[in-house]
Amino acid sequence: MVLGNVLLRLGAVVSIAALTGCAMAPKVAATSVAADTPSSWTAGIATLDAPTPAPATAIPRPSPTPVPTPVPTHAPTPDVPTLDERLQIFEEVWRIVNEKYLYADFGGIDWEGLYPEYRARIMRAQLRDEFYAAMIDMVAQLNDNHSRFVPPAAAEAEDAIASGREIRVGIGVIVQPKPDGGFVQQVFPESPAARADIRPRDRIVAVNGRPYVASDGDLQGDIGTSVRLTVARPGSKLRDVLLTRQEVRASILPYYRRFPGDIGYISVPTLWVHDMGEQVSGALTDLVASGPLRGLIIDLRSNRGGWGEVLSGVLSHFVRGQVGVFFGRDYVRPLVVNPPAGPDMRNLSAGLVVLIDEETASYAEVLAAVLQAEAGAIVVGARSAGNTETIYAHALRDGSRLWLAQEGFRLRSGSDLEGRGVVPDVVLEVDWTRFSEDDDPQLLEALRLLGGGPK
């Protein structure tokens, strides 16, 4: 069996907007997200002094969702901002961190002590890149794997991706560099890679006859140029494919299928895509359309998290009511889950299994932990990343952006996942990326637990 690339398009392909919410005018409240913000799946803008937490009970917005117009950012130039501009940006970033960072002790960092050091660097900067490098370095001192400073050009690139309308020139893949090649995580529909039958789990081992290296990235390049790839697929022989780069719409979509024994499977690659909750709801609707499911497997491996409203939307099919709390320095807010717009999956006779690995992070970890604690899900795989802070976006006067960790999360039991991660019920620490669907140990174990699968 091969995992079907069932590509769901419910309504318009809508915006991931901000990793915090739709792009907004200055002085409005940011909404929240959690996870690392990989450069391929990022973000929008909210300029604010005091962000108000978004309700964690939010259900995905009804389709169609208007695509927001990104707040204009300034195109980068070789010139450094004026001294007054530099100091204003520096002072604003330092103040926001000082007042709103989740950890009052700044994780052991002497934040007060960094002020004179970095103020001096900002004043000495002779080039724009020197100024932004100093800002990036200052926020990186927090060392929480979430908070970061994004210069204007990078923020503008985030907005293009976040709009849901990003057009890339390449072969149409998202690739994760590995020691022995590039692991294909996503294949965009109607792309050169899709037409060449390149699939998730394939590994690109060579590019134009030489070994794949991390700098090859997602194999983007000039339109009309060709690239020859050597592709490895678990259980198959190496094959060479010649692809011509073209403009490709970068759509991140779930994969789903139905296994024998009325067992459903859905792979949720990210929660960053603004309409991923709607897409998951549509996938579940499609899965039950041909008959009730006895059991369901939710695959969150390598999912790095994303929007709070997507988290709530996916949870709504499986749990109800308060399932935990988010907390800042001086407040708590409940995570309350309301009924879904799609199928109610709370009464699966064979149960629910969630697959995770060490790269499952942030709100994907919260999703797995809540399903484990509240829906009786059996979690299979390796302990997750243990990196679950909620981050907020602060847009700055020059078009740059501060992402800041401002909340943590606790389950109803009081368990805090930060630094601990989700502990699987069935531990299988294998490199699942090296297996086909037919022999993936974690997936086969999930099917065994649910009493379904290949006959």
Side-chain angles (χ1 to χ4, degrees), residues 242-278:
L242 181 64
L243 304 178
T244 301
R245 296 180 177 94
Q246 66 175 54
E247 289 188 344
V248 178
R249 185 176 180 129
S251 300
I252 309 296
L253 305 167
Y255 300 97
Y256 62 95
R257 65 156 298 161
R258 193 180 181 105
F259 280 101
D262 296 324
I263 305 300
Y265 169 90
I266 180 167
S267 173
V268 184
T270 182
L271 306 179
W272 286 126
V273 177
H274 184 77
D275 69 337
M276 185 59 70
E278 296 172 18

PDB file of all heavy atoms in Angstrom, residues 242-278:
ATOM      1  N   LEU A 242      14.655  13.828 -14.296  1.00  0.00           N
ATOM      2  CA  LEU A 242      15.066  15.140 -14.780  1.00  0.00           C
ATOM      3  C   LEU A 242      13.857  16.060 -14.688  1.00  0.00           C
ATOM      4  O   LEU A 242      12.821  15.799 -15.304  1.00  0.00           O
ATOM      5  CB  LEU A 242      15.562  15.057 -16.223  1.00  0.00           C
ATOM      6  CG  LEU A 242      16.039  16.380 -16.847  1.00  0.00           C
ATOM      7  CD1 LEU A 242      17.268  16.902 -16.110  1.00  0.00           C
ATOM      8  CD2 LEU A 242      16.335  16.198 -18.335  1.00  0.00           C
ATOM      9  N   LEU A 243      13.989  17.138 -13.908  1.00  0.00           N
ATOM     10  CA  LEU A 243      12.882  18.051 -13.675  1.00  0.00           C
ATOM     11  C   LEU A 243      13.242  19.444 -14.157  1.00  0.00           C
ATOM     12  O   LEU A 243      14.397  19.872 -14.069  1.00  0.00           O
ATOM     13  CB  LEU A 243      12.550  18.111 -12.174  1.00  0.00           C
ATOM     14  CG  LEU A 243      12.229  16.782 -11.491  1.00  0.00           C
ATOM     15  CD1 LEU A 243      11.961  17.011 -10.010  1.00  0.00           C
ATOM     16  CD2 LEU A 243      11.025  16.123 -12.139  1.00  0.00           C
ATOM     17  N   THR A 244      12.241  20.162 -14.646  1.00  0.00           N
ATOM     18  CA  THR A 244      12.411  21.553 -15.045  1.00  0.00           C
ATOM     19  C   THR A 244      11.673  22.440 -14.059  1.00  0.00           C
ATOM     20  O   THR A 244      10.477  22.252 -13.803  1.00  0.00           O
ATOM     21  CB  THR A 244      11.864  21.780 -16.462  1.00  0.00           C
ATOM     22  OG1 THR A 244      12.559  20.929 -17.382  1.00  0.00           O
ATOM     23  CG2 THR A 244      12.062  23.238 -16.880  1.00  0.00           C
ATOM     24  N   ARG A 245      12.388  23.402 -13.491  1.00  0.00           N
ATOM     25  CA  ARG A 245      11.798  24.273 -12.476  1.00  0.00           C
ATOM     26  C   ARG A 245      10.719  25.164 -13.089  1.00  0.00           C
ATOM     27  O   ARG A 245      10.856  25.624 -14.229  1.00  0.00           O
ATOM     28  CB  ARG A 245      12.874  25.125 -11.808  1.00  0.00           C
ATOM     29  CG  ARG A 245      13.903  24.321 -11.021  1.00  0.00           C
ATOM     30  CD  ARG A 245      14.929  25.242 -10.380  1.00  0.00           C
ATOM     31  NE  ARG A 245      15.902  24.521  -9.567  1.00  0.00           N
ATOM     32  CZ  ARG A 245      17.083  24.112 -10.006  1.00  0.00           C
ATOM     33  NH1 ARG A 245      17.433  24.356 -11.270  1.00  0.00           N
ATOM     34  NH2 ARG A 245      17.913  23.467  -9.200  1.00  0.00           N
ATOM     35  N   GLN A 246       9.676  25.410 -12.300  1.00  0.00           N
ATOM     36  CA  GLN A 246       8.593  26.277 -12.734  1.00  0.00           C
ATOM     37  C   GLN A 246       8.017  26.978 -11.519  1.00  0.00           C
ATOM     38  O   GLN A 246       8.412  26.709 -10.382  1.00  0.00           O
ATOM     39  CB  GLN A 246       7.491  25.460 -13.414  1.00  0.00           C
ATOM     40  CG  GLN A 246       6.771  24.505 -12.448  1.00  0.00           C
ATOM     41  CD  GLN A 246       5.609  23.780 -13.089  1.00  0.00           C
ATOM     42  OE1 GLN A 246       5.775  23.151 -14.126  1.00  0.00           O
ATOM     43  NE2 GLN A 246       4.434  23.861 -12.466  1.00  0.00           N
ATOM     44  N   GLU A 247       7.095  27.904 -11.760  1.00  0.00           N
ATOM     45  CA  GLU A 247       6.397  28.525 -10.646  1.00  0.00           C
ATOM     46  C   GLU A 247       5.440  27.507 -10.035  1.00  0.00           C
ATOM     47  O   GLU A 247       4.686  26.843 -10.742  1.00  0.00           O
ATOM     48  CB  GLU A 247       5.617  29.752 -11.118  1.00  0.00           C
ATOM     49  CG  GLU A 247       6.511  30.920 -11.493  1.00  0.00           C
ATOM     50  CD  GLU A 247       5.707  32.177 -11.781  1.00  0.00           C
ATOM     51  OE1 GLU A 247       4.478  32.061 -11.977  1.00  0.00           O
ATOM     52  OE2 GLU A 247       6.302  33.268 -11.803  1.00  0.00           O
ATOM     53  N   VAL A 248       5.491  27.402  -8.697  1.00  0.00           N
ATOM     54  CA  VAL A 248       4.685  26.413  -7.975  1.00  0.00           C
ATOM     55  C   VAL A 248       4.016  27.101  -6.804  1.00  0.00           C
ATOM     56  O   VAL A 248       4.660  27.856  -6.062  1.00  0.00           O
ATOM     57  CB  VAL A 248       5.564  25.250  -7.454  1.00  0.00           C
ATOM     58  CG1 VAL A 248       4.719  24.256  -6.674  1.00  0.00           C
ATOM     59  CG2 VAL A 248       6.269  24.548  -8.608  1.00  0.00           C
ATOM     60  N   ARG A 249       2.737  26.846  -6.621  1.00  0.00           N
ATOM     61  CA  ARG A 249       2.050  27.351  -5.444  1.00  0.00           C
ATOM     62  C   ARG A 249       2.380  26.448  -4.259  1.00  0.00           C
ATOM     63  O   ARG A 249       2.190  25.234  -4.321  1.00  0.00           O
ATOM     64  CB  ARG A 249       0.544  27.372  -5.664  1.00  0.00           C
ATOM     65  CG  ARG A 249      -0.206  27.996  -4.498  1.00  0.00           C
ATOM     66  CD  ARG A 249      -1.688  28.080  -4.815  1.00  0.00           C
ATOM     67  NE  ARG A 249      -2.398  28.684  -3.703  1.00  0.00           N
ATOM     68  CZ  ARG A 249      -3.245  29.695  -3.817  1.00  0.00           C
ATOM     69  NH1 ARG A 249      -3.473  30.228  -4.996  1.00  0.00           N
ATOM     70  NH2 ARG A 249      -3.858  30.177  -2.765  1.00  0.00           N
ATOM     71  N   ALA A 250       2.870  27.044  -3.183  1.00  0.00           N
ATOM     72  CA  ALA A 250       3.343  26.279  -2.025  1.00  0.00           C
ATOM     73  C   ALA A 250       2.170  25.968  -1.097  1.00  0.00           C
ATOM     74  O   ALA A 250       1.909  26.703  -0.150  1.00  0.00           O
ATOM     75  CB  ALA A 250       4.434  27.037  -1.282  1.00  0.00           C
ATOM     76  N   SER A 251       1.462  24.903  -1.378  1.00  0.00           N
ATOM     77  CA  SER A 251       0.300  24.502  -0.571  1.00  0.00           C
ATOM     78  C   SER A 251       0.686  23.341   0.345  1.00  0.00           C
ATOM     79  O   SER A 251       1.186  22.314  -0.120  1.00  0.00           O
ATOM     80  CB  SER A 251      -0.857  24.070  -1.479  1.00  0.00           C
ATOM     81  OG  SER A 251      -1.251  25.114  -2.331  1.00  0.00           O
ATOM     82  N   ILE A 252       0.454  23.524   1.650  1.00  0.00           N
ATOM     83  CA  ILE A 252       0.737  22.477   2.631  1.00  0.00           C
ATOM     84  C   ILE A 252      -0.587  21.811   2.976  1.00  0.00           C
ATOM     85  O   ILE A 252      -1.495  22.451   3.499  1.00  0.00           O
ATOM     86  CB  ILE A 252       1.379  23.055   3.908  1.00  0.00           C
ATOM     87  CG1 ILE A 252       2.578  23.938   3.552  1.00  0.00           C
ATOM     88  CG2 ILE A 252       1.787  21.932   4.858  1.00  0.00           C
ATOM     89  CD1 ILE A 252       3.710  23.214   2.893  1.00  0.00           C
ATOM     90  N   LEU A 253      -0.712  20.528   2.695  1.00  0.00           N
ATOM     91  CA  LEU A 253      -1.982  19.828   2.813  1.00  0.00           C
ATOM     92  C   LEU A 253      -1.815  18.538   3.606  1.00  0.00           C
ATOM     93  O   LEU A 253      -0.749  17.920   3.597  1.00  0.00           O
ATOM     94  CB  LEU A 253      -2.528  19.497   1.417  1.00  0.00           C
ATOM     95  CG  LEU A 253      -2.685  20.680   0.459  1.00  0.00           C
ATOM     96  CD1 LEU A 253      -2.925  20.187  -0.962  1.00  0.00           C
ATOM     97  CD2 LEU A 253      -3.809  21.576   0.909  1.00  0.00           C
ATOM     98  N   PRO A 254      -2.852  18.085   4.286  1.00  0.00           N
ATOM     99  CA  PRO A 254      -2.768  16.788   4.977  1.00  0.00           C
ATOM    100  C   PRO A 254      -2.895  15.632   3.988  1.00  0.00           C
ATOM    101  O   PRO A 254      -3.440  15.790   2.892  1.00  0.00           O
ATOM    102  CB  PRO A 254      -3.977  16.827   5.927  1.00  0.00           C
ATOM    103  CG  PRO A 254      -4.970  17.685   5.233  1.00  0.00           C
ATOM    104  CD  PRO A 254      -4.180  18.724   4.477  1.00  0.00           C
ATOM    105  N   TYR A 255      -2.373  14.477   4.413  1.00  0.00           N
ATOM    106  CA  TYR A 255      -2.564  13.240   3.669  1.00  0.00           C
ATOM    107  C   TYR A 255      -3.475  12.336   4.490  1.00  0.00           C
ATOM    108  O   TYR A 255      -3.344  12.274   5.710  1.00  0.00           O
ATOM    109  CB  TYR A 255      -1.231  12.522   3.443  1.00  0.00           C
ATOM    110  CG  TYR A 255      -0.221  13.323   2.673  1.00  0.00           C
ATOM    111  CD1 TYR A 255       0.764  14.041   3.332  1.00  0.00           C
ATOM    112  CD2 TYR A 255      -0.258  13.368   1.291  1.00  0.00           C
ATOM    113  CE1 TYR A 255       1.695  14.786   2.629  1.00  0.00           C
ATOM    114  CE2 TYR A 255       0.665  14.104   0.578  1.00  0.00           C
ATOM    115  CZ  TYR A 255       1.646  14.819   1.250  1.00  0.00           C
ATOM    116  OH  TYR A 255       2.563  15.556   0.550  1.00  0.00           O
ATOM    117  N   TYR A 256      -4.350  11.602   3.826  1.00  0.00           N
ATOM    118  CA  TYR A 256      -5.207  10.696   4.584  1.00  0.00           C
ATOM    119  C   TYR A 256      -5.615   9.513   3.726  1.00  0.00           C
ATOM    120  O   TYR A 256      -5.549   9.552   2.501  1.00  0.00           O
ATOM    121  CB  TYR A 256      -6.440  11.430   5.118  1.00  0.00           C
ATOM    122  CG  TYR A 256      -7.369  12.023   4.087  1.00  0.00           C
ATOM    123  CD1 TYR A 256      -8.498  11.327   3.648  1.00  0.00           C
ATOM    124  CD2 TYR A 256      -7.128  13.283   3.554  1.00  0.00           C
ATOM    125  CE1 TYR A 256      -9.356  11.868   2.711  1.00  0.00           C
ATOM    126  CE2 TYR A 256      -7.982  13.835   2.622  1.00  0.00           C
ATOM    127  CZ  TYR A 256      -9.105  13.128   2.193  1.00  0.00           C
ATOM    128  OH  TYR A 256      -9.955  13.667   1.266  1.00  0.00           O
ATOM    129  N   ARG A 257      -6.006   8.448   4.384  1.00  0.00           N
ATOM    130  CA  ARG A 257      -6.452   7.239   3.700  1.00  0.00           C
ATOM    131  C   ARG A 257      -7.222   6.358   4.673  1.00  0.00           C
ATOM    132  O   ARG A 257      -7.243   6.608   5.886  1.00  0.00           O
ATOM    133  CB  ARG A 257      -5.284   6.471   3.114  1.00  0.00           C
ATOM    134  CG  ARG A 257      -4.318   5.901   4.141  1.00  0.00           C
ATOM    135  CD  ARG A 257      -3.559   4.709   3.586  1.00  0.00           C
ATOM    136  NE  ARG A 257      -4.477   3.647   3.249  1.00  0.00           N
ATOM    137  CZ  ARG A 257      -4.179   2.646   2.420  1.00  0.00           C
ATOM    138  NH1 ARG A 257      -2.991   2.608   1.850  1.00  0.00           N
ATOM    139  NH2 ARG A 257      -5.042   1.692   2.185  1.00  0.00           N
ATOM    140  N   ARG A 258      -7.829   5.330   4.146  1.00  0.00           N
ATOM    141  CA  ARG A 258      -8.581   4.365   4.935  1.00  0.00           C
ATOM    142  C   ARG A 258      -7.899   3.020   4.815  1.00  0.00           C
ATOM    143  O   ARG A 258      -7.670   2.519   3.716  1.00  0.00           O
ATOM    144  CB  ARG A 258     -10.025   4.299   4.423  1.00  0.00           C
ATOM    145  CG  ARG A 258     -10.989   3.563   5.336  1.00  0.00           C
ATOM    146  CD  ARG A 258     -12.378   3.579   4.717  1.00  0.00           C
ATOM    147  NE  ARG A 258     -13.340   2.904   5.582  1.00  0.00           N
ATOM    148  CZ  ARG A 258     -14.251   3.514   6.323  1.00  0.00           C
ATOM    149  NH1 ARG A 258     -14.330   4.845   6.297  1.00  0.00           N
ATOM    150  NH2 ARG A 258     -15.084   2.838   7.077  1.00  0.00           N
ATOM    151  N   PHE A 259      -7.566   2.412   5.949  1.00  0.00           N
ATOM    152  CA  PHE A 259      -6.955   1.089   5.975  1.00  0.00           C
ATOM    153  C   PHE A 259      -8.027   0.011   6.118  1.00  0.00           C
ATOM    154  O   PHE A 259      -9.145   0.304   6.562  1.00  0.00           O
ATOM    155  CB  PHE A 259      -5.971   0.974   7.149  1.00  0.00           C
ATOM    156  CG  PHE A 259      -4.635   1.596   6.896  1.00  0.00           C
ATOM    157  CD1 PHE A 259      -4.323   2.853   7.404  1.00  0.00           C
ATOM    158  CD2 PHE A 259      -3.672   0.928   6.160  1.00  0.00           C
ATOM    159  CE1 PHE A 259      -3.090   3.434   7.182  1.00  0.00           C
ATOM    160  CE2 PHE A 259      -2.431   1.490   5.929  1.00  0.00           C
ATOM    161  CZ  PHE A 259      -2.139   2.748   6.438  1.00  0.00           C
ATOM    162  N   PRO A 260      -7.681  -1.239   5.762  1.00  0.00           N
ATOM    163  CA  PRO A 260      -8.612  -2.344   6.031  1.00  0.00           C
ATOM    164  C   PRO A 260      -8.978  -2.400   7.514  1.00  0.00           C
ATOM    165  O   PRO A 260      -8.187  -2.013   8.379  1.00  0.00           O
ATOM    166  CB  PRO A 260      -7.815  -3.581   5.613  1.00  0.00           C
ATOM    167  CG  PRO A 260      -6.831  -3.082   4.597  1.00  0.00           C
ATOM    168  CD  PRO A 260      -6.469  -1.690   5.050  1.00  0.00           C
ATOM    169  N   GLY A 261     -10.172  -2.877   7.793  1.00  0.00           N
ATOM    170  CA  GLY A 261     -10.644  -2.956   9.168  1.00  0.00           C
ATOM    171  C   GLY A 261     -11.276  -1.657   9.638  1.00  0.00           C
ATOM    172  O   GLY A 261     -11.442  -1.447  10.840  1.00  0.00           O
ATOM    173  N   ASP A 262     -11.605  -0.767   8.682  1.00  0.00           N
ATOM    174  CA  ASP A 262     -12.245   0.515   9.015  1.00  0.00           C
ATOM    175  C   ASP A 262     -11.388   1.363   9.950  1.00  0.00           C
ATOM    176  O   ASP A 262     -11.871   1.951  10.917  1.00  0.00           O
ATOM    177  CB  ASP A 262     -13.640   0.283   9.619  1.00  0.00           C
ATOM    178  CG  ASP A 262     -14.600  -0.375   8.638  1.00  0.00           C
ATOM    179  OD1 ASP A 262     -14.507  -0.048   7.441  1.00  0.00           O
ATOM    180  OD2 ASP A 262     -15.415  -1.204   9.065  1.00  0.00           O
ATOM    181  N   ILE A 263     -10.091   1.398   9.634  1.00  0.00           N
ATOM    182  CA  ILE A 263      -9.146   2.229  10.377  1.00  0.00           C
ATOM    183  C   ILE A 263      -8.747   3.404   9.505  1.00  0.00           C
ATOM    184  O   ILE A 263      -8.268   3.231   8.381  1.00  0.00           O
ATOM    185  CB  ILE A 263      -7.888   1.431  10.787  1.00  0.00           C
ATOM    186  CG1 ILE A 263      -8.267   0.180  11.583  1.00  0.00           C
ATOM    187  CG2 ILE A 263      -6.940   2.326  11.585  1.00  0.00           C
ATOM    188  CD1 ILE A 263      -9.021   0.450  12.845  1.00  0.00           C
ATOM    189  N   GLY A 264      -8.972   4.607   9.998  1.00  0.00           N
ATOM    190  CA  GLY A 264      -8.583   5.795   9.275  1.00  0.00           C
ATOM    191  C   GLY A 264      -7.179   6.237   9.631  1.00  0.00           C
ATOM    192  O   GLY A 264      -6.674   5.945  10.727  1.00  0.00           O
ATOM    193  N   TYR A 265      -6.546   6.941   8.715  1.00  0.00           N
ATOM    194  CA  TYR A 265      -5.205   7.481   8.938  1.00  0.00           C
ATOM    195  C   TYR A 265      -5.178   8.905   8.389  1.00  0.00           C
ATOM    196  O   TYR A 265      -5.646   9.153   7.265  1.00  0.00           O
ATOM    197  CB  TYR A 265      -4.156   6.637   8.219  1.00  0.00           C
ATOM    198  CG  TYR A 265      -2.769   7.251   8.178  1.00  0.00           C
ATOM    199  CD1 TYR A 265      -1.844   6.991   9.190  1.00  0.00           C
ATOM    200  CD2 TYR A 265      -2.390   8.093   7.132  1.00  0.00           C
ATOM    201  CE1 TYR A 265      -0.578   7.558   9.153  1.00  0.00           C
ATOM    202  CE2 TYR A 265      -1.129   8.662   7.088  1.00  0.00           C
ATOM    203  CZ  TYR A 265      -0.224   8.394   8.098  1.00  0.00           C
ATOM    204  OH  TYR A 265       1.024   8.955   8.059  1.00  0.00           O
ATOM    205  N   ILE A 266      -4.654   9.839   9.169  1.00  0.00           N
ATOM    206  CA  ILE A 266      -4.451  11.198   8.686  1.00  0.00           C
ATOM    207  C   ILE A 266      -3.114  11.715   9.187  1.00  0.00           C
ATOM    208  O   ILE A 266      -2.814  11.627  10.385  1.00  0.00           O
ATOM    209  CB  ILE A 266      -5.610  12.143   9.091  1.00  0.00           C
ATOM    210  CG1 ILE A 266      -5.365  13.564   8.569  1.00  0.00           C
ATOM    211  CG2 ILE A 266      -5.842  12.142  10.592  1.00  0.00           C
ATOM    212  CD1 ILE A 266      -6.568  14.464   8.652  1.00  0.00           C
ATOM    213  N   SER A 267      -2.304  12.192   8.266  1.00  0.00           N
ATOM    214  CA  SER A 267      -1.023  12.809   8.600  1.00  0.00           C
ATOM    215  C   SER A 267      -1.208  14.309   8.567  1.00  0.00           C
ATOM    216  O   SER A 267      -1.591  14.877   7.539  1.00  0.00           O
ATOM    217  CB  SER A 267       0.048  12.375   7.594  1.00  0.00           C
ATOM    218  OG  SER A 267       1.247  13.087   7.814  1.00  0.00           O
ATOM    219  N   VAL A 268      -0.936  14.963   9.700  1.00  0.00           N
ATOM    220  CA  VAL A 268      -1.077  16.416   9.815  1.00  0.00           C
ATOM    221  C   VAL A 268       0.335  16.991   9.872  1.00  0.00           C
ATOM    222  O   VAL A 268       0.989  16.933  10.919  1.00  0.00           O
ATOM    223  CB  VAL A 268      -1.887  16.800  11.066  1.00  0.00           C
ATOM    224  CG1 VAL A 268      -2.114  18.307  11.105  1.00  0.00           C
ATOM    225  CG2 VAL A 268      -3.221  16.054  11.104  1.00  0.00           C
ATOM    226  N   PRO A 269       0.855  17.526   8.760  1.00  0.00           N
ATOM    227  CA  PRO A 269       2.266  17.898   8.713  1.00  0.00           C
ATOM    228  C   PRO A 269       2.612  19.149   9.489  1.00  0.00           C
ATOM    229  O   PRO A 269       3.765  19.337   9.890  1.00  0.00           O
ATOM    230  CB  PRO A 269       2.519  18.105   7.212  1.00  0.00           C
ATOM    231  CG  PRO A 269       1.182  18.492   6.656  1.00  0.00           C
ATOM    232  CD  PRO A 269       0.179  17.728   7.470  1.00  0.00           C
ATOM    233  N   THR A 270       1.639  20.029   9.711  1.00  0.00           N
ATOM    234  CA  THR A 270       1.890  21.280  10.417  1.00  0.00           C
ATOM    235  C   THR A 270       0.568  21.847  10.894  1.00  0.00           C
ATOM    236  O   THR A 270      -0.497  21.517  10.360  1.00  0.00           O
ATOM    237  CB  THR A 270       2.589  22.307   9.494  1.00  0.00           C
ATOM    238  OG1 THR A 270       2.852  23.499  10.228  1.00  0.00           O
ATOM    239  CG2 THR A 270       1.749  22.633   8.274  1.00  0.00           C
ATOM    240  N   LEU A 271       0.635  22.691  11.926  1.00  0.00           N
ATOM    241  CA  LEU A 271      -0.522  23.473  12.345  1.00  0.00           C
ATOM    242  C   LEU A 271      -0.348  24.931  11.937  1.00  0.00           C
ATOM    243  O   LEU A 271      -1.144  25.781  12.315  1.00  0.00           O
ATOM    244  CB  LEU A 271      -0.711  23.374  13.868  1.00  0.00           C
ATOM    245  CG  LEU A 271      -0.808  21.957  14.445  1.00  0.00           C
ATOM    246  CD1 LEU A 271      -0.976  22.007  15.958  1.00  0.00           C
ATOM    247  CD2 LEU A 271      -1.937  21.162  13.809  1.00  0.00           C
ATOM    248  N   TRP A 272       0.703  25.231  11.163  1.00  0.00           N
ATOM    249  CA  TRP A 272       0.981  26.603  10.745  1.00  0.00           C
ATOM    250  C   TRP A 272      -0.001  27.096   9.696  1.00  0.00           C
ATOM    251  O   TRP A 272      -0.257  28.280   9.595  1.00  0.00           O
ATOM    252  CB  TRP A 272       2.388  26.718  10.160  1.00  0.00           C
ATOM    253  CG  TRP A 272       3.501  26.661  11.143  1.00  0.00           C
ATOM    254  CD1 TRP A 272       4.567  25.811  11.101  1.00  0.00           C
ATOM    255  CD2 TRP A 272       3.691  27.478  12.305  1.00  0.00           C
ATOM    256  NE1 TRP A 272       5.392  26.046  12.172  1.00  0.00           N
ATOM    257  CE2 TRP A 272       4.869  27.061  12.930  1.00  0.00           C
ATOM    258  CE3 TRP A 272       2.955  28.510  12.881  1.00  0.00           C
ATOM    259  CZ2 TRP A 272       5.358  27.644  14.088  1.00  0.00           C
ATOM    260  CZ3 TRP A 272       3.431  29.089  14.038  1.00  0.00           C
ATOM    261  CH2 TRP A 272       4.623  28.657  14.617  1.00  0.00           C
ATOM    262  N   VAL A 273      -0.487  26.203   8.847  1.00  0.00           N
ATOM    263  CA  VAL A 273      -1.381  26.627   7.777  1.00  0.00           C
ATOM    264  C   VAL A 273      -2.705  27.060   8.386  1.00  0.00           C
ATOM    265  O   VAL A 273      -3.338  26.310   9.129  1.00  0.00           O
ATOM    266  CB  VAL A 273      -1.580  25.488   6.765  1.00  0.00           C
ATOM    267  CG1 VAL A 273      -2.568  25.888   5.678  1.00  0.00           C
ATOM    268  CG2 VAL A 273      -0.237  25.101   6.144  1.00  0.00           C
ATOM    269  N   HIS A 274      -3.134  28.273   8.055  1.00  0.00           N
ATOM    270  CA  HIS A 274      -4.268  28.872   8.740  1.00  0.00           C
ATOM    271  C   HIS A 274      -5.536  28.033   8.641  1.00  0.00           C
ATOM    272  O   HIS A 274      -6.328  27.975   9.584  1.00  0.00           O
ATOM    273  CB  HIS A 274      -4.523  30.272   8.172  1.00  0.00           C
ATOM    274  CG  HIS A 274      -5.609  31.014   8.866  1.00  0.00           C
ATOM    275  ND1 HIS A 274      -5.424  31.618  10.090  1.00  0.00           N
ATOM    276  CD2 HIS A 274      -6.906  31.237   8.533  1.00  0.00           C
ATOM    277  CE1 HIS A 274      -6.559  32.195  10.469  1.00  0.00           C
ATOM    278  NE2 HIS A 274      -7.469  31.972   9.548  1.00  0.00           N
ATOM    279  N   ASP A 275      -5.752  27.352   7.522  1.00  0.00           N
ATOM    280  CA  ASP A 275      -6.973  26.569   7.368  1.00  0.00           C
ATOM    281  C   ASP A 275      -6.745  25.079   7.589  1.00  0.00           C
ATOM    282  O   ASP A 275      -7.562  24.260   7.175  1.00  0.00           O
ATOM    283  CB  ASP A 275      -7.597  26.806   5.984  1.00  0.00           C
ATOM    284  CG  ASP A 275      -6.773  26.223   4.847  1.00  0.00           C
ATOM    285  OD1 ASP A 275      -5.554  26.026   5.028  1.00  0.00           O
ATOM    286  OD2 ASP A 275      -7.351  25.969   3.771  1.00  0.00           O
ATOM    287  N   MET A 276      -5.645  24.714   8.257  1.00  0.00           N
ATOM    288  CA  MET A 276      -5.373  23.290   8.465  1.00  0.00           C
ATOM    289  C   MET A 276      -6.471  22.637   9.294  1.00  0.00           C
ATOM    290  O   MET A 276      -6.802  21.465   9.079  1.00  0.00           O
ATOM    291  CB  MET A 276      -4.006  23.092   9.127  1.00  0.00           C
ATOM    292  CG  MET A 276      -3.592  21.622   9.269  1.00  0.00           C
ATOM    293  SD  MET A 276      -3.489  20.707   7.711  1.00  0.00           S
ATOM    294  CE  MET A 276      -2.041  21.448   6.957  1.00  0.00           C
ATOM    295  N   GLY A 277      -7.071  23.366  10.254  1.00  0.00           N
ATOM    296  CA  GLY A 277      -8.183  22.798  11.009  1.00  0.00           C
ATOM    297  C   GLY A 277      -9.342  22.445  10.112  1.00  0.00           C
ATOM    298  O   GLY A 277      -9.965  21.374  10.253  1.00  0.00           O
ATOM    299  N   GLU A 278      -9.665  23.309   9.153  1.00  0.00           N
ATOM    300  CA  GLU A 278     -10.729  23.027   8.203  1.00  0.00           C
ATOM    301  C   GLU A 278     -10.361  21.856   7.303  1.00  0.00           C
ATOM    302  O   GLU A 278     -11.205  21.009   6.967  1.00  0.00           O
ATOM    303  CB  GLU A 278     -11.004  24.269   7.354  1.00  0.00           C
ATOM    304  CG  GLU A 278     -11.539  25.449   8.152  1.00  0.00           C
ATOM    305  CD  GLU A 278     -11.603  26.710   7.313  1.00  0.00           C
ATOM    306  OE1 GLU A 278     -11.563  26.606   6.065  1.00  0.00           O
ATOM    307  OE2 GLU A 278     -11.695  27.805   7.900  1.00  0.00           O
TER     308      GLU A 278
END
